[in-house]
Amino acid sequence: MQYLHLSLTQVPGLLPKKIAILQKEAGLETVLDLLQWYPFRYIDRTRVYLSSELSEELPLIQLVGKLQNIKLIGEGKKQRMSAQLRDAAGSIELVWFQGYKFLHEKLQNGKEYLVFGKPSLFNGSWSIAHPEIELFFPEKLAQASRMQAVYSSTDRMKKSQLDSKGLSLIIRQVLQYVKGRVPESLSEELIQEHQLIRLEDALWGIHFPTTVEQQQQAEKRLKFDELFFLQIRLIRQNLVNKQQIKGFPLQKVGNPFMEFYEKHLPFPLTQAQKRVIKEIRNDVAKPIQMNRLVQGDVGSGKTIVAFMSMLIAIGNGYQACLMAPTEILAQQHYYSLSAYAETIGISIELLTGSVGQKQRRKIHAELESGSLSILVGTHALLEDKVKFANLGFVVIDEQHRFGVAQRARLWAKNTLPPHVLIMSATPIPRTLAMTLYGDLDVSVIDELPPGRKPIRTVHRYESQRPEVLNFIKSEIALGRQIYIVYPLIEESEQLDYRNLFEGYEHLLSWFPAPQYHISIVHGRLKPDDKEFEMQRFVKRETQIMVATTVIEVGVNVPNASVMIVESAERFGLSQLHQLRGRVGRGAEQSYCILMTGLKLSADARIRLKTMCDTNDGFRIAEVDLRLRGPGDLQGTQQSGSLDLKLADLSRDAGLVGWCREVAYKVLENDPDLEKPENKNIAQRLMHLEQKHKNWGRIS
Ligand code: ADP
Ligand code: MG
């Protein structure tokens, strides 16, 4: 009998009305759901802290000391009450900004008080705002001593006595009911080896800890459970994919590859590029479909890796395609790849929404006859009319914009699924990649081509604009080109366009024709006009390109040396990093200038500072992850389905890696979890898999 999976309605003594509210407001249906409604913090009444022991991480704590120097400071609305609490170790300030009138009359200088609140550091000294405060009686303290869990609840829940206290009561009731009957989810061996406490004890410990240590033990065990089973599922999924999805073995490297490699390489490959090509080569030689993610920072040279991988497929008699998320990107790829393909006489075409009927029909025919080797395009490639003679290799650029379903449609374009290479310029911290792409193999191009000078990034305020414009002038005088990028988001589209056009007008006055020419590219232009403007810039007919984020990914103009981001505070970190990656592609010193107004949020400041401090995409991704949480990170929108309640992929990075190792070891010894000692694990897994039937592919 699986008590954890009982419906709450089956637990004796719970009021149906309350169950209904829990279900409606919080989606809690089963015993386990309720027991996983974990506290979001604790009130630590287990001990009295000293004023010398304070740190920002502490929960609400209690202090005991003599009250001194009670006074009112300031006047009118700004008035506040302040007092010092002096204990054996020193003193701490207590402040009240409102509602202190009664307290002010009651509190007495020189008496001993028990104070309860959250300490915070302000201008280098500790204080507690609005503490609970009462006269100190040692006897009373002993009785109240415990850790108290605090739960979140909605207004409706609160109205039905399901506030923090009410939830605590009902959770205790349910825990009492399942006492001694909570099935253990881990094997005895794992529990012993990793010094974990039992699941049942952990559930008590997380809700009703008596000490900080007990709470921490419980938290560790429950996080371990979440991450361990997550990894077990991911690893198994990866194994299943590898066993079941047959693919074309591309047995030889083939002539096109060899010819290109020996005679037409435009530059020596970096070690990282060579390594990744080798990894791909090893994969595709097997009769199993490759699913590989290539991560590489902007400018790391993914294009040529993709091209040379395609050549292997072509050398084995197959066709290849590259799918990009936007028209501009597809065009850009088409130009880069054409230049390579031309050298060895490989046919290549571009198919996007704006390709005319005649050209389209020609492409369709060449594809079906097999005379076309490489097709580059956008979503247009997915249309049913696009049929390949034998598609063997698919490159997907910036996969986060394509859903799983779309990927599947590409696969369906053949009897056996083609090998799939996904290129991502969004660096994802290793732990997260391991988790999110557990069913993909990951290659990393962790080296930039030689000779690149690190881009210098600075933050400038609106008032410094003349300086910035003069700097642009001096760079143009040196023969360089400039990007100026404006934010554009749907919610404020009208206003954003106005800013863009006003900015453009203003630039025209600073950079008048005929000496200067400015391109402007944005989403309201027709694809042809966009392309025309882009090409003017690529051909150096214009010195400045003003654009919305359409140039965010993929544009390659090595002569561009300055990237100016307007309203930089409105961009996310990974977006800023992508934008900056548009410069620094040539040998010249490049610059990124982040323009903002004076008013900046704390997060925006961190983002700007991070950009100025580092060019390292992985470090930036770590900060991004910390600021936003994994759910928001590009390409990881699905991470909600990971079902993590306590564990946090960025904060618990160490634990993620550890759990992955443990999970690997378990599956290595017992791939199908059939051994008796793994019975608990198998059972828990079965339940999880029932709950997430369509979970298989989260990437
Ligand atoms: P990304 O990884 O951002 O797609 P690209 O493939 O566009 O990067 O390459 C960025 C620039 O670096 C291009 O101009 C490309 O020609 C150049 N490049 C790529 N690999 C090398 C290399 N090994 N040596 C020198 N330049 C390279
Ligand atoms: Mg690229």
Side-chain angles (χ1 to χ4, degrees):
M1 180 70 210
Q2 268 283 26
Y3 278 88
L4 290 182
H5 301 283
L6 282 181
S7 159
L8 287 172
T9 54
Q10 290 167 279
V11 180
L14 299 190
L15 292 176
K17 204 184 122 218
K18 285 194 180 174
I19 295 173
I21 297 265
L22 285 174
Q23 207 247 311
K24 213 159 143 204
E25 289 289 298
L28 309 180
E29 311 231 5
T30 66
V31 165
L32 185 62
D33 290 342
L34 180 71
L35 295 182
Q36 286 182 338
W37 192 256
Y38 297 125
F40 68 94
R41 67 179 167 84
Y42 297 86
I43 297 173
D44 184 357
R45 296 239 189 211
T46 57
R47 56 172 282 209
V48 174
Y49 281 75
L50 282 171
S51 61
S52 56
E53 293 178 301
L54 306 180
S55 79
E56 294 255 329
E57 286 84 57
L58 287 176
L60 296 172
I61 55 152
Q62 45 192 8
L63 294 157
V64 170
K66 272 209 178 83
L67 209 59
Q68 300 178 332
N69 206 8
I70 304 167
K71 62 183 176 197
L72 296 175
I73 302 171
E75 294 198 351
K77 273 200 169 150
K78 290 212 167 135
Q79 194 182 53
R80 63 182 196 271
M81 178 171 88
S82 156
Q84 293 292 323
L85 187 79
R86 176 162 292 281
D87 64 13
S91 81
I92 176 173
E93 188 189 8
L94 311 177
V95 272
W96 289 263
F97 298 97
Q98 57 207 349
Y100 47 75
K101 218 172 151 196
F102 174 69
L103 265 181
H104 187 239
E105 284 162 16
K106 203 178 74 169
L107 293 179
Q108 302 169 44
N109 269 316
K111 281 255 161 79
E112 256 197 324
Y113 282 88
L114 173 70
V115 165
F116 179 72
K118 179 154 176 64
S120 59
L121 197 55
F122 189 71
N123 281 345
S125 55
W126 288 102
S127 65
I128 301 182
H130 291 270
E132 281 177 28
I133 183 162
E134 59 192 58
L135 277 170
F136 175 60
F137 300 103
E139 325 75 74
K140 230 171 118 184
L141 188 66
Q143 288 165 16
S145 166
R146 67 188 181 95
M147 290 270 284
Q148 190 181 323
V150 183
Y151 299 91
S152 62
S153 65
T154 65
D155 284 345
R156 279 232 186 123
M157 284 162 75
K158 286 184 185 122
K159 267 188 212 137
S160 308
Q161 281 131 40
L162 289 167
D163 55 1
S164 189
K165 246 190 203 130
L167 279 163
S168 181
L169 283 173
I170 201 167
I171 287 170
R172 184 182 285 276
Q173 209 175 338
V174 169
L175 269 175
Q176 290 288 4
Y177 174 65
V178 297
K179 198 169 187 168
R181 304 190 284 206
V182 173
E184 180 50 58
S185 58
L186 295 180
S187 62
E188 200 54 39
E189 201 185 326
L190 285 182
I191 292 175
Q192 296 302 335
E193 190 179 338
H194 301 292
Q195 301 180 353
L196 298 166
I197 62 172
R198 277 164 203 291
L199 181 59
E200 181 161 332
D201 296 338
L203 288 170
W204 279 97
I206 199 87
H207 292 291
F208 302 103
T210 48
T211 63
V212 175
E213 290 70 36
Q214 201 180 39
Q215 186 275 333
Q216 284 169 343
Q217 282 289 328
E219 192 174 307
K220 174 177 156 196
R221 162 65 212 247
L222 294 170
K223 280 184 179 175
F224 184 96
D225 258 39
E226 289 179 1
L227 294 170
F228 172 77
F229 281 100
L230 174 63
Q231 295 299 342
I232 288 268
R233 285 150 71 204
L234 284 165
I235 295 165
R236 275 166 58 95
Q237 187 63 43
N238 190 321
L239 292 178
V240 167
N241 288 350
K242 286 197 174 149
Q243 282 161 5
Q244 293 183 346
I245 305 181
K246 292 205 171 63
F248 310 107
L250 304 177
Q251 272 151 351
K252 51 186 182 188
V253 174
N255 287 334
F257 184 99
M258 288 318 293
E259 196 190 333
F260 184 76
Y261 186 70
E262 282 166 6
K263 297 190 198 140
H264 301 287
L265 263 190
F267 33 67
L269 298 175
T270 62
Q271 289 308 319
Q273 284 170 321
K274 282 189 203 165
R275 191 189 64 236
V276 171
I277 291 175
K278 219 173 261 167
E279 284 167 352
I280 293 167
R281 159 81 191 117
N282 285 339
D283 271 11
V284 297
K286 295 175 199 150
I288 295 161
Q289 185 203 25
M290 174 180 80
N291 272 291
R292 185 169 282 279
L293 174 77
V294 172
Q295 277 198 50
D297 213 340
V298 262
S300 62
K302 292 183 289 294
T303 312
I304 199 149
V305 170
F307 178 70
M308 294 180 72
S309 312
M310 289 173 156
L311 288 186
I312 298 177
I314 295 166
N316 284 271
Y318 293 95
Q319 293 165 303
C321 73
L322 183 151
M323 195 160 74
T326 66
E327 179 122 8
I328 286 194
L329 248 183
Q331 268 161 7
Q332 193 73 43
H333 276 301
Y334 174 69
Y335 291 125
S336 320
L337 295 179
S338 304
Y340 297 149
E342 219 166 63
T343 61
I344 45 170
I346 296 284
S347 55
I348 176 168
E349 291 289 353
L350 175 69
L351 182 68
T352 64
S354 59
V355 167
Q357 273 306 320
K358 208 172 131 205
Q359 171 71 354
R360 198 172 278 257
R361 272 199 292 274
K362 180 174 155 257
I363 291 175
H364 288 169
E366 286 174 3
L367 266 187
E368 283 193 63
S369 76
S371 65
L372 181 60
S373 293
I374 301 179
L375 182 63
V376 178
T378 51
H379 291 74
L381 299 194
L382 297 172
E383 289 170 14
D384 292 335
K385 270 179 282 177
V386 181
K387 295 196 185 83
F388 292 81
N390 54 0
L391 179 62
F393 200 93
V394 174
V395 179
I396 301 178
D397 193 19
E398 298 295 327
Q399 67 110 32
H400 56 271
R401 313 212 181 175
F402 291 106
V404 179
Q406 288 178 318
R407 246 164 75 189
R409 273 176 74 182
L410 265 181
W411 294 7
K413 288 188 180 287
N414 221 330
T415 44
L416 280 181
H419 298 292
V420 178
L421 183 71
I422 295 163
M423 300 197 293
S424 167
T426 308
I428 298 171
R430 221 183 113 65
T431 48
L432 190 59
M434 283 187 331
T435 302
L436 291 169
Y437 300 111
D439 71 331
L440 293 180
D441 294 304
V442 181
S443 291
V444 186
I445 307 185
D446 49 6
E447 180 187 356
L448 292 179
R452 296 265 173 86
K453 293 201 182 80
I455 301 163
R456 274 192 215 145
T457 304
V458 293
H459 172 201
R460 292 285 178 266
Y461 293 101
E462 198 47 50
S463 56
Q464 294 164 297
R465 186 172 291 277
E467 233 173 83
V468 171
L469 290 167
N470 279 322
F471 176 69
I472 296 180
K473 263 199 181 138
S474 65
E475 283 290 298
I476 292 177
L478 292 170
R480 315 274 149 72
Q481 288 168 284
I482 319 291
Y483 292 108
I484 303 181
V485 176
Y486 283 80
L488 177 64
I489 53 170
E490 256 170 63
E491 298 87 70
S492 55
E493 198 180 288
Q494 294 299 337
L495 197 66
D496 287 349
Y497 268 113
R498 216 169 72 209
N499 290 340
L500 171 76
F501 294 131
E502 277 171 12
Y504 177 62
E505 296 289 320
H506 183 237
L507 276 172
L508 284 175
S509 67
W510 269 76
F511 299 93
Q515 196 188 348
Y516 298 100
H517 298 282
I518 306 178
S519 290
I520 178 162
V521 176
H522 54 79
R524 287 186 182 170
L525 291 181
K526 290 210 198 78
D528 279 355
D529 296 340
K530 239 190 252 177
E531 175 56 16
F532 176 77
E533 288 285 306
M534 292 283 301
Q535 284 310 314
R536 290 211 303 153
F537 188 69
V538 172
K539 290 185 208 143
R540 298 209 196 179
E541 291 167 14
T542 60
Q543 297 98 343
I544 301 177
M545 164 127 93
V546 176
T548 52
T549 42
V550 287
I551 61 156
E552 183 186 334
V553 262
V555 179
N556 191 19
V557 180
N559 189 53
S561 67
V562 182
M563 165 63 65
I564 296 179
V565 185
E566 297 286 347
S567 305
E569 73 277 14
R570 291 178 56 199
F571 289 88
L573 258 179
S574 73
Q575 239 183 337
L576 288 174
H577 182 61
Q578 292 292 320
L579 286 171
R580 178 168 62 183
R582 298 308 107 206
V583 297
R585 301 192 151 216
E588 309 303 339
Q589 175 63 55
S590 292
Y591 305 87
C592 174
I593 303 175
L594 307 171
M595 300 294 299
T596 74
L598 284 174
K599 247 174 102 181
L600 295 171
S601 70
D603 275 11
R605 273 179 206 285
I606 295 176
R607 289 198 297 271
L608 295 165
K609 183 169 180 331
T610 305
M611 287 296 293
C612 295
D613 285 352
T614 183
N615 275 303
D616 179 344
F618 284 90
R619 248 188 78 196
I620 289 169
E622 304 262 3
V623 176
D624 201 26
L625 186 59
R626 241 182 293 133
L627 288 180
R628 305 206 290 173
D632 278 340
L633 211 70
Q634 270 188 350
T636 63
Q637 283 87 347
Q638 302 96 326
S639 64
S641 63
L642 297 183
D643 209 15
L644 299 178
K645 299 204 161 63
L646 281 175
D648 174 311
L649 290 177
S650 56
R651 267 197 319 253
D652 298 316
L655 197 56
V656 175
W658 175 41
C659 287
R660 186 165 177 85
E661 275 168 39
V662 176
Y664 253 117
K665 237 193 243 158
V666 169
L667 288 175
E668 229 166 52
N669 290 326
D670 187 10
D672 292 319
L673 299 171
E674 289 166 338
K675 295 192 177 166
E677 62 265 33
N678 289 328
K679 196 181 94 220
N680 292 348
I681 297 175
Q683 233 159 41
R684 166 56 85 84
L685 191 64
M686 206 177 71
H687 275 285
L688 287 170
E689 281 174 353
Q690 273 168 5
K691 201 166 142 199
H692 302 279
K693 281 213 185 67
N694 301 319
W695 187 82
R697 300 200 139 261
I698 53 160
S699 57

